[in-house]
Structures are given as C-alpha cells and as structure tokens.
C-alpha cells in the first residue's frame, strides 16, 4: 500500500472539516478525490503533507507511519504536492522555484542531478521558455504549471495535485491529462482533487467522493457517478456551475 | 517579606501601568489601523515632554495647562509626518517601514539634542510635584496618581471611541479590510491620517506626564518605543484591552522587583524584557 | 543563481581596494592618514555588521539581537584577556564561538516566532543578556563599569627616531588589516551562501516557510544555520572592536544602536545581496563623515534625512536603484513590481 489514511479527522474550533476518513491508495494508482466546495478535500491533503496536524487518525506512506513527521520529512519520504491556491516563491525565477524542489526534495541529490531533474520537470510542464521569468510575472495558468513542475522536481513517489486543471481549456486539459498518465507510467502514484468531471473520468482508476468532511462513496468513476447519494450531493445543491 | 513594601510595589506598579498603556495604545493604533511599524513613536512622546518643559520654562505654564497646547501640536506633527513620509510606505515591506521610522527617530532625537542639549530636564518647579498621600505606610504621589487617572481616562475614551463613533468604526473597518473599506467609500487616506495623528497625540500627552514624573533627556523616546512595542506585541496586535493587561503585568513586575530586590532598580528593564521574552516564546511553543 | 557572478566580481574588487588602501595611503605616511585608517576600519566594521545581519535576514528572521551577539563576542574577549593568560589573538575565534553557541540557543527557542514577534523577542533577549552580563560577579565581568581589554597590537616606539603619531599609524594600520581580513571572511561566507543551494533554501524559507518545507527544505535547519553564521561573524567583530576600543561596558557594548545600524545599512544598500550591505556601509560611512565635518553639531539630523529620503526614493536600496537604472538604459525588461513610488 502506497498511502493509507485511517480515521482521519480535523476540527477547526467548532467546525468539523474532515472526519472518519479512511482510504488506501495502491502503488501506481491514479486516485481522485472529488466533492462539493468545502467538502474537506484540501484539508485532507494538508494533513497528508504535514501542513495541518490531524485532530485524530493516522497516515502511512509506503508502510511507514508519517502522522507525526514534519512536512520536509514527508517530502523526503516521497510526497510531492501542488497547491490549489498557487504558492510560487515570487522573488525567484521559474527555474529557481523548481530548483528548490529539485535540490531539497530528495536528500543526497547532487547539484548536477538536481539541475537535470529541474530541466526535466520544466520541460514536461511546458515551462521551458519561461525558465528565467520571475515567478511574480506569471499568469495564473502558468503558475499552476509551476506548481506541478515544482512538485515533480522533488522526485515524488506519491504526487498530490489539488485542482491543477481548474480553468484550463479543453486542449490544455488534455495535455495535462497526458502529463499525469506519463508520470504514473514512470511509477509515481497520483492522488488528485478535481472538479472537472471529464478529467476525473479519463484519469482516475478509483474515485473517492467526500461530502461534509466524510467519505460518501468510493469506487470506479462509473460506480460513484451511479451512486444515488453522490447524485444527491451534487445535484441537490447547485454550487458547482462556476467550476465545471 | 514586608507586606507594606509589597503593597507599595504593587501600588507603584499599577500607577506606572497607566503611562505604559497610554503610549502603547497609540502605537497599537499605528500598527493596527494603518499597518505601519513605527519606530519613531517614542519621539512623539519625547517631543511632548520637551514642549511641556519649554512652555513651563518660557511662560511658567503648568503641565496640565500646557496639555491644551501640546496635544494639538502633536496631532499636527503626527499629521505632517504621515503626509510627508508614512503614507508612501504603507504598501512597502516591514523592513522599509522600519528604516524610514528609524530615520525619523534619528532626526527628531538629534533636533531635540540640538535645541535642548543632552542634560536631563525636569519641571521641578511644579508645586504639587512632591505632594503625596500616606495610606497605612504606603505613599502615593499625586503626580503618578494623576497621570494614572488621565491615562486610564484617555485609553478608555479611545476604546469607547473606536467602538461607538463613526470615525472609530471607520478606523476598525479599514484596519480589518483595506480594500473592502475603500470600496464602500471610506476615505482611507484621511482615516489613516487621523489615526496616525491621534497616535502621536496620545504619545505626546504621555510625554507631558514623564516631564513631571522624571527628568527626561532627548533620548527618552526610544526606550519607550521599545517598551511600547513589547507591550503591543505581548497583548496581541490590535487588542486594546490586552494592552491594559499587558501594561499592568509588566509595570507591576518591574515595580515589585525594584522595591523588593536589593539593588533591584537596575533590574527594571531586565525584568520587563524577560517577561516579554518568556511570554512570546512560551506562547509560540504552546500554540504549535 | 544568475546574479551571483557580478556579485563575486564586485566583492572581489572591493576586497582588493580594501587590501591596497593602506599601501596607497602610505604614500602619505603622515599624520592625516592616521585618522583615515581608523575611518576605514570603522567603515569596514559597519560593513561586517551589516552583511552578517543580512545573512540572517535572508531567511526572513528580522533580528534585533545583533547587538547581543556583538556584545557577547566583545565580552568573551574581555573576560578571556582578564581572567586567563592566553594570547589575546585567541579572543577573535572565541568571540565567534561564544556568539555562535548563544545564537544556536536563542535561534532554537525562537524558531516558531515570525515577523515582528521574532523581532521583539530578540530585542528582549538583548536587554536581558545585557542585564545578566552586568549582574555577573564584578571580578569576572566588571559589572556596570565594564572591563578594560588589552589591545591586539602594541606598536614599538623608538624614542628619538619616531614621532608620536607614528605609533597611532602603526596601530591603526595593523587593525586595518585585521578588519579587512574579517570583512573578506564575511564576504566569502555571504558569497558561499549565494552561490550554493543554501541560497535557494534561505530565499524559500523567507518567502514561504510552509511551502519550502513541503518542497523538502528543512526550515529549522536553514534558520539556525543562518543564525549561527551571522552571529559568529558579528561575535568576532565584537571581540575585535573591544580590543581596538580598549574596553567593554554593558550600556555601550550592548547598545541597541548597534542593532539599528546593522539593519539600516543593508536596507539602505540593498537587502539579500552581498554587495548591498557593503555598498551601504561605504556610502553611509562617507555620508556620516562628510556631515560630521560640515556641521559640527546635529549632523545626525542630516543622516536621518538621508535614511528617510532613501526609503522614499529608492525602496530597494542602492543595489535596487542600480538595477533599475541599468534596465531603463537597456530599454528592455519590465520594471520590477513595487519598485518605486516616491512622493513625486
Ligand atoms: N485553516 C482553516 N481554518 C478554519 N476553517 C478552515 C480552514 N481551512 C479550511 N477550513 C474550512 O474547512 C472546510 C473544508 O475546507 P477545504 O478547503 O478542505 O474544502 P475543499 O473540499 O478543498 O473545497 P474546494 O472545493 O472549495 O477547494 C471549509 O468549510 C473551510 O471553510
Ligand atoms: Mg480545496
């Protein structure tokens, strides 16, 4: 098992953002997490990458308990993360941003290897031409690509992607889908959050549906989209139209 | 331990807390409402002290009377400083604000040194300076008591003003959300100007008091800047009630050490800053 | 990493100029050069102070404790000289060691403090350390009156063959070289930080600590390393200054003004660069000296005006101004965001 989450919960004061969350992701799988806005998806990734301390529960990466590890240790253990709200280092160029992940993502990386890894990540995410541009001058779409490039550069075993396709045009989305498949084919496990349903359908081996912080359904795309509770959760409330 | 000595330390500490709170509340206004790290805050305090001194020497004005002149003067000085410098660094990094206000502090301090020299100045001729009440072995000076009462009244007035008046509500609105506030048509720049001028005014009034309580030199301001910063940070940014408690805590501890520990007067600053250090560090580790 | 090369060239040039200066001055082996040498040492002292502070600031830690480490180094030298018989030269590394260890301690407990909270905690630390030193047994640290410190150099005076000012010249010249050596060391440390992966770590931690950690950077390690490097360097400076000035005293040696100059100079020159703090130190020293000679009294008013004007008209310091001018002349490139909006 590559990633295992057991009984995970997070409370913010009185608000229960995540509770009773269990799931497992096998090696080489592409695993999707979907759910309405505020369902607790990003909060879940934040707990997995060590930015939030869980109120309860346990997280394992490749058999190792990482519940109490800090973010850097989790990264070294093989977790890569792209943020929903893009967080580039604005004072650095695109290449320097990616180099941070390449140099520090895996302990013991030499400068030469890091440079190669960064170049590879830049090329794959289509940022080659922008390598010397200051990150603060990028457009939002370019920033999203930078998120992916930086995460890839850390040489992850598990890649966590938070809504990296939101706002992409269909052609761009197809490219991104291709990129994720390619990454998986090289042995990387992918966990991604997505609102764009065609992308989920094309990519995901399995889909976890969250609602109000709880797991609502888990299974193949066809299974979960046929689930009455899921349909109710999505159609019963109409807070999605701006995203889809 | 002598109980009257303990009580004396407690009373002196409580009285001293008023002045700390007054100066800190002004700084909190600058930090909270305007978002500017003002290391020149104590210079307004110093200017207040020396204006009061000058009015006393030149015209024989009683410090209480001179408040009528000093307070508006500081308001105007604050407004000028805001207009000519502060408003240009509102969006700048903290460090730029620090350099700018350090520069202002150097200017004011050295102007004062040029005018008044480096020797301590005091309003020693005020008749009530040495009057005090004796209460069961404890002495309460009229001047510290008066300054405590005035400070408390001003701090409470500010507190109520921020909560109840239109201007106060506007200040809190811009403090919380600059963009949103400018959208609803508040004149942010004007509100900042008033807030900064008010902050200078409060510090200046504190300065008038110090001119009666102690014998300040032109360098008195910076020490108060540092202490006010420490109190504001201890209270938590933007928390006026917290400032009252923080001032009380540090002033009483300072005074206790000064009265109870032999040779303790030299330790005042150390105690003050040790408390700040321990609380800040402790809070950071507990929160995480 | 792109801008590292010009950095190296500039600092190398400065170091060479510094090393040659006394030789050039020797052409005027005269009484006037005595004070020039001491001015040059003062300027280099400011450069070391500023650049070592900048090293720490590169990780986003706005320290107001620089005076504490300067003072710790100075006192380490003073106590060593007074309490033991070891050669005074050892005071330099000892000052660095003591300050570095102290920084390791302070840095560890303040790791979680950010921004103004960190600044105030480090300021408080300085005041407490000053009081602790003052309260140490008088036999050890001299109490409020301080201690005398033996000089690093004792010039040979040959009566009849030398004039009195030649003693001062010899002494100032010797110190000049030690300051130049310490400056070169500080510049070298700074260049290493800028040219290796440390730069990426420091910048990442400064701009977004949480994200840096997700990218695998260990923020605690980066921050502590910067703290120790920065403090060890300024600790050595403190020791050196104690020997040059001949005494330490709590109120002066731990004066907050040391901290103020340590942070004002890099902001004025240009933060997070090697060149900026050095350039800032040179220009500010020159400005101060010129003002001092022009206006005997109140010259610091002019100094304050220069600081205020610099922030209003060149918010990114001298280095930022130079970059902007170069870009404008080149005609290409976009002005960096937030570059300048003075009260035009
Ligand atoms: N730091 C926080 N403090 C308080 N509440 C938070 C915090 N972070 C998230 N929340 C709340 O937790 C809930 C879950 O938020 P989360 O960001 O995980 O949702 P999400 O599923 O990612 O939604 P979206 O699809 O909009 O990105 C929301 O109600 C949110 O307001
Ligand atoms: Mg989300």
């Amino acid at each position: 098992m590559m990633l295992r989450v057991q009984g995970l919960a997070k409370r913010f004061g009185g608000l229960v953002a995540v509770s009773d969350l269990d799931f497992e992701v096998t090696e080489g799988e592409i695993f999707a997490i979907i759910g309405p806005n505020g369902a607790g998806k990003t909060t879940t990734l934040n707990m997995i990458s060590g930015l939030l301390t869980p109120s309860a529960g346990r997280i394992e990466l490749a058999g190792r308990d990482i519940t109490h590890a800090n973010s850097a240790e989790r990264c070294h253990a093989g977790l890569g993360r792209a943020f929903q709200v893009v967080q580039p280092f604005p004072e650095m160029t695109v290449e320097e941003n990616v180099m941070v992940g390449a140099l520090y993502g895996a302990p013991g990386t030499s400068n030469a290897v890091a440079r190669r890894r960064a170049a590879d990540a830049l090329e794959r995410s289509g940022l080659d031409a922008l390598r010397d541009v200051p990150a603060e001058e990028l457009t939002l779409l370019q920033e999203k690509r930078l998120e992916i490039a930086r995460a890839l550069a850390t040489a992850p075993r598990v890649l966590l992607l938070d809504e990296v396709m939101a706002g992409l045009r269909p052609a761009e989305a197809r490219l991104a889908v291709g990129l994720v498949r390619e990454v998986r084919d090289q042995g990387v496990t992918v966990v991604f959050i997505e609102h764009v349903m065609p992308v989920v359908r094309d990519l995901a081996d399995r889909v976890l549906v969250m609602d109000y912080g709880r797991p609502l359904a888990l299974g193949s795309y066809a299974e979960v989209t046929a689930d009455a509770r899921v349909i109710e959760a999505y159609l019963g409330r109409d807070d999605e139209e701006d995203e889809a | 331990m002598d109980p009257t000595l303990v009580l004396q330390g407690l009373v002196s500490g409580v009285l001293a807390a008023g002045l700390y709170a007054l100066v800190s509340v002004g700084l909190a206004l600058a930090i909270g409402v305007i978002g500017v790290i003002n290391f020149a805050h104590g210079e307004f305090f110093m200017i207040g002290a020396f204006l009061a001194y000058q009015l006393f020497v030149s015209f024989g004005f009683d410090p209480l009377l001179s408040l009528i002149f000093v307070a508006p003067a500081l308001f105007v000085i604050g407004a000028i400083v805001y207009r000519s410098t502060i408003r240009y660094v509102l969006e700048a990094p903290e460090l730029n604000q620090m350099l700018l206000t350090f520069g202002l502090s150097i200017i004011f301090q050295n102007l004062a040194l040029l005018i008044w020299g480096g020797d301590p100045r005091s309003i020693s001729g005020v008749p009530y300076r040495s009057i005090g009440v004796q209460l069961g072995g404890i002495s309460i000076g009229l001047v510290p008591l008066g300054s405590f009462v005035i400070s408390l009244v001003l701090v409470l007035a500010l507190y109520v003003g921020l909560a109840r008046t239109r201007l106060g509500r506007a200040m809190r609105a811009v403090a919380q959300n600059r963009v949103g506030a400018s959208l609803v048509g508040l004149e942010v720049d004007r509100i900042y100007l008033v807030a900064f001028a008010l902050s200078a005014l409060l510090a200046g009034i504190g300065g008038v008091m110090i001119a009666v309580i102690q014998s300040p030199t032109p360098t008195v301001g910076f020490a108060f800047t540092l202490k006010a910063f420490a109190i504001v940070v201890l209270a938590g940014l933007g928390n006026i009630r917290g400032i009252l408690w923080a001032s009380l805590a540090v002033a009483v501890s300072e005074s206790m050490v000064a009265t109870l520990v032999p040779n303790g007067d030299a330790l005042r600053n150390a105690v003050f800053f040790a408390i700040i250090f321990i609380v800040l560090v402790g809070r950071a580790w507990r929160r995480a | 990493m792109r801008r590292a090369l010009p950095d190296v060239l500039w600092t190398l040039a400065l170091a060479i100029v510094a090393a040659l200066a006394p030789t050039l001055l020797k052409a005027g082996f005269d009484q006037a050069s005595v004070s020039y040498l001491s001015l040059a040492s003062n300027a280099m002292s400011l450069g070391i102070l500023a650049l070592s502070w900048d090293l720490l600031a590169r990780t986003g830690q706005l320290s107001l404790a620089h005076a504490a480490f300067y003072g710790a180094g100075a006192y380490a030298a003073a106590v060593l000289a007074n309490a033991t018989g070891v050669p005074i030269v050892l005071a330099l590394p000892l000052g660095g060691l003591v300050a570095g260890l102290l920084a390791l301690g302070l840095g560890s407990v303040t790791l979680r403090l950010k921004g103004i909270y960190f600044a105030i905690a480090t300021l408080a630390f300085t005041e407490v350390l000053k009081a602790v030193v003052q309260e140490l047994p008088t036999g050890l640290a001299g109490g409020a009156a301080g201690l005398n410190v033996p000089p690093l150099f004792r010039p040979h005076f040959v009566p009849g063959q030398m004039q009195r000012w030649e003693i001062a010249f010899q002494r100032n010249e010797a110190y000049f070289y030690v300051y130049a050596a310490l400056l070169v060391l500080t510049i070298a440390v700074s260049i290493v930080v800028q040219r290796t992966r440390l730069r990426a770590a420091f910048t990442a931690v400064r701009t977004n600590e949480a994200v840096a950690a997700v990218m695998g950077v260990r923020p605690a390690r980066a921050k502590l390393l910067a703290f120790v490097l920065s403090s060890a360097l300024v600790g050595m400076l403190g020791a050196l200054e104690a020997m040059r000035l001949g005494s330490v005293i709590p109120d002066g040696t731990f004066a907050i003004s040391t901290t103020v100059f340590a942070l004002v100079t890099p902001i004025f020159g240009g933060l997070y660069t090697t060149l900026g703090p050095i350039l800032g130190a040179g220009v500010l020293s020159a400005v101060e000296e010129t003002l001092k000679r022009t206006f005997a009294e109140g010259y610091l008013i002019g100094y304050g005006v220069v600081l205020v004007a610099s922030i209003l008209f060149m918010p990114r310091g001298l280095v930022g101004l130079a970059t902007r001018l170069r870009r404008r002349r080149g005609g290409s490139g976009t002005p960096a965001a937030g570059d300048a909006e003075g009260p035009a």
Side-chain angles (χ1 to χ4, degrees), chain C residues 209-297:
Chain C
E209 193 174 326
V211 173
V214 170
M215 297 296 133
V217 179
R218 298 174 190 274
R221 225 187 247 192
K223 284 158 87 172
L224 281 179
L225 176 67
F227 218 148
V228 170
L229 283 177
S230 156
S231 304
L233 286 167
V234 80
M236 285 198 265
L237 176 67
L240 182 54
E241 297 256 289
M243 293 186 274
R244 183 165 70 119
L245 303 176
S247 65
V248 289
I249 180 165
D251 275 332
T253 307
F254 290 97
I256 182 78
S257 58
T258 303
T259 295
V260 173
F261 286 120
L263 79 100
V264 158
T265 310
I267 304 171
F268 177 83
L271 285 163
Y272 319 135
T273 59
T274 305
L275 182 60
I278 301 294
L279 210 55
V283 173
L284 284 182
S285 298
V287 165
E288 184 178 349
E289 192 55 29
T290 311
L291 288 170
K292 200 189 278 180
R293 284 168 193 229
T294 320
F295 314 97
E297 262 186 292

Side-chain angles (χ1 to χ4, degrees), chain C residues 121-146:
Chain C
T122 50
L123 169 74
F125 174 80
T126 310
E127 293 293 329
V128 173
L129 185 65
K130 173 164 81 178
V132 167
V133 167
Q134 191 162 323
E135 296 303 316
L136 284 176
T138 321
L140 186 66

